[in-house]
Amino acid sequence: MKTGELVRLRALERDDVARMHGWFNDPEITRFLGYSFPFSVDAEMQWYDNLQDPKKRDKVLGIVDRETGTHIGNVGLHNIDWVSAHAEVGITIGDKRYWSRGYGSDAMDVILSYAFSKMNLHRVYLRVYDFNLRAIRSYEKCGFVREGVQRDDYYCDGAYHDTVIMGILREEYLNTGT
Amino acid sequence: MEGVLTRLRGVEESDAPLLHAWDNDPEIRAALDVVFPVTISSTTEYIREITGSRDGVLFIVSDRETEAPIGFTTLYDIDWIARKAEFGIIIGDKRYWSRGYGTDAALATLSFAFEDLGLHRVYLSTYSYHPRAIRVCEKCGFVREGVMRKARYHHGAYHDVVLMGILYDEFAAHRGRPP
Ligand SMILES: CC(C)(COP(=O)(O)OP(=O)(O)OC[C@H]1O[C@@H](n2cnc3c(N)ncnc32)[C@H](O)[C@@H]1OP(=O)(O)O)[C@@H](O)C(=O)NCCC(=O)NCCS
Ligand SMILES: CC(C)(COP(=O)(O)OP(=O)(O)OC[C@H]1O[C@@H](n2cnc3c(N)ncnc32)[C@H](O)[C@@H]1OP(=O)(O)O)[C@@H](O)C(=O)NCCC(=O)NCCS
């Protein structure tokens, strides 16, 4: 797999689950992901075990800081549709010290390259809540185009929020010269 | 539940052959997110699943006059926190197409979604090559919320997927007669 400037991606291991359990119970993170209930370690482990099923149409990888080897987040392709050749991408930099320093965009670039050049997909899309300006900015940097707004699609912190849909096509990605 | 032209009732396992036939009709399948053949056993299993769940509902649509079952509507993936559900509709008896039955059944289902279930939002996606479905949704007051570019492969080419949604306030204001 292509290596990024700042990160590389690797398979998730059982030992990573405890760390991920911390990230996915952190309200500062989960409000961006739409998780409403706390996860037990068992639930996290079960999620990990399900991921090993080769028939599953989700592939999630760990994001590792190239310099230190630290596992700082996950990025994955979900709902892979082999007929229409598209997938939904999801990303979390769980280690908050790494936010807004280019690591998320770099990891996204690596997974897009994988999706288009290795998996032969032709489209990747994502959903992001309207208040998640940092994420939207990082997706724009990666070449995603805003395709729509699902109104009042998400409820959190006492209010409804919109979900923004963004997509990128293979030819758009390849044309950016990355 | 009743519309002007149609009546809705809960699906039964014995309806499986009907749904199975509709789901395998090529003209209908063009509008659905299915590619592989649908088996009678997967249809039966789906009916069991949705009738056993409170996160989805499937109604058989019948012609009020003749009582003949002509299609179905469904609300699925209900999200009780965001109070939203995805909507689906098939008028399977093609003799009824473009005679107002789809719109009538859709409105009866929306009224169930908003006034019985208390949902806040109903949404669906359809294909750019399917103007009849888009028109039915517009007639019911759905708003076009976006276009997922080239997200559906069909008949040798990629097509756009059209996203549509309607909120309770909108429905309450026009009750299926959008301005
Ligand atoms: C979203 C996420 C993956 C982005 O990764 P990241 O490494 O933080 O992002 P990057 O540093 O690559 O890019 C962020 C960009 O947003 C900008 N930004 C940061 N905060 C911002 C704000 N409040 N408003 C607008 N732009 C902002 C940064 O300046 C940067 O742009 P720049 O390079 O032009 O200066 C990461 O922040 C994260 O995991 N957040 C929590 C979970 C989450 O939101 N996941 C995504 C759900 S859809
Ligand atoms: C889509 C479907 C539910 C519509 O039901 P219906 O009973 O045919 O719809 P209605 O008669 O209520 O309304 C159809 C509208 O589309 C219009 N229409 C028909 N063909 C059209 C076309 N090619 N272009 C534009 N509008 C068209 C009709 O004129 C009518 O609008 P009007 O009342 O303003 O004249 C039904 O045709 C069906 O089940 N099709 C197969 C499965 C399917 O497509 N399901 C929906 C998936 S999102």
Side-chain angles (χ1 to χ4, degrees), chain A residues 123 147 151-152 172, chain B residues 120-121 145 149-150 170:
Chain A
R123 167 187 166 80
E147 296 184 326
R151 300 165 305 148
D152 282 10
E172 293 168 345
Chain B
H120 175 75
R121 164 183 169 81
E145 295 182 326
R149 298 167 305 148
K150 301 189 180 178
E170 295 165 347

Side-chain angles (χ1 to χ4, degrees), chain B residues 27-28 31-32 89-92 96-104 124-126 130-133 135-136 139:
Chain B
E27 260 186 286
I28 294 174
L32 311 181
I89 180 167
I90 288 182
I91 300 299
Y96 283 85
W97 283 5
S98 287
R99 290 167 54 197
Y101 288 82
T103 306
D104 191 63
L124 88 163
S125 54
T126 180
H130 195 20
R132 189 154 25 89
R135 179 76 194 115
V136 170
K139 283 206 292 178

Side-chain angles (χ1 to χ4, degrees), chain B residues 67-105:
Chain B
E67 300 288 339
I70 62 168
F72 70 82
T73 64
T74 175
L75 297 162
Y76 59 104
D77 285 349
I78 298 176
D79 174 339
W80 292 107
I81 293 178
R83 305 203 75 84
K84 64 178 177 182
E86 187 151 1
F87 172 66
I89 180 167
I90 288 182
I91 300 299
D93 186 333
K94 295 188 262 185
R95 293 168 300 185
Y96 283 85
W97 283 5
S98 287
R99 290 167 54 197
Y101 288 82
T103 306
D104 191 63

Side-chain angles (χ1 to χ4, degrees), chain A residues 83-84, chain B residues 21-36 38 89-91 94 97 125-134 151-162:
Chain A
V83 173
S84 289
Chain B
W22 296 335
D23 279 347
N24 284 300
D25 178 311
E27 260 186 286
I28 294 174
R29 287 164 65 87
L32 311 181
D33 188 16
V34 291
V35 180
F36 291 98
V38 177
I89 180 167
I90 288 182
I91 300 299
K94 295 188 262 185
W97 283 5
S125 54
T126 180
Y127 304 120
S128 54
Y129 56 77
H130 195 20
R132 189 154 25 89
I134 296 172
R152 156 79 166 181
Y153 189 77
H154 178 66
H155 279 187
Y158 290 105
H159 302 273
D160 293 344
V161 170
V162 179

Side-chain angles (χ1 to χ4, degrees), chain A residues 34-55:
Chain A
Y35 303 161
S36 307
F37 298 103
F39 286 102
S40 63
V41 174
D42 278 353
E44 198 69 48
M45 192 57 87
Q46 202 179 339
W47 175 86
Y48 176 81
D49 287 338
N50 287 339
L51 210 59
Q52 309 310 312
D53 177 354
K55 286 194 301 259

Side-chain angles (χ1 to χ4, degrees), chain A residues 28-134:
Chain A
E28 271 188 69
I29 293 177
T30 56
R31 60 192 293 267
F32 296 122
L33 304 179
Y35 303 161
S36 307
F37 298 103
F39 286 102
S40 63
V41 174
D42 278 353
E44 198 69 48
M45 192 57 87
Q46 202 179 339
W47 175 86
Y48 176 81
D49 287 338
N50 287 339
L51 210 59
Q52 309 310 312
D53 177 354
K55 286 194 301 259
K56 212 166 146 51
R57 298 199 299 171
D58 299 81
K59 304 277 171 224
V60 183
L61 297 167
I63 304 170
V64 171
D65 176 0
R66 266 179 68 176
E67 209 170 283
T68 61
T70 317
H71 176 210
I72 61 169
N74 292 346
V75 59
L77 295 169
H78 305 270
N79 303 323
I80 300 170
D81 179 334
W82 291 108
V83 173
S84 289
H86 63 73
E88 179 171 352
V89 68
I91 183 168
T92 298
I93 302 291
D95 187 329
K96 294 185 274 189
R97 292 167 300 182
Y98 283 86
W99 283 3
S100 286
R101 290 167 53 198
Y103 288 81
S105 306
D106 194 44
M108 181 64 82
D109 188 55
V110 177
I111 196 97
L112 286 178
S113 144
Y114 193 73
F116 294 128
S117 304
K118 284 271 192 277
M119 291 172 67
N120 200 11
L121 298 182
H122 103 111
R123 167 187 166 80
V124 173
Y125 67 102
L126 59 83
R127 296 159 208 271
V128 55
Y129 303 131
D130 59 356
F131 55 83
N132 195 353
L133 299 176
R134 184 179 44 231

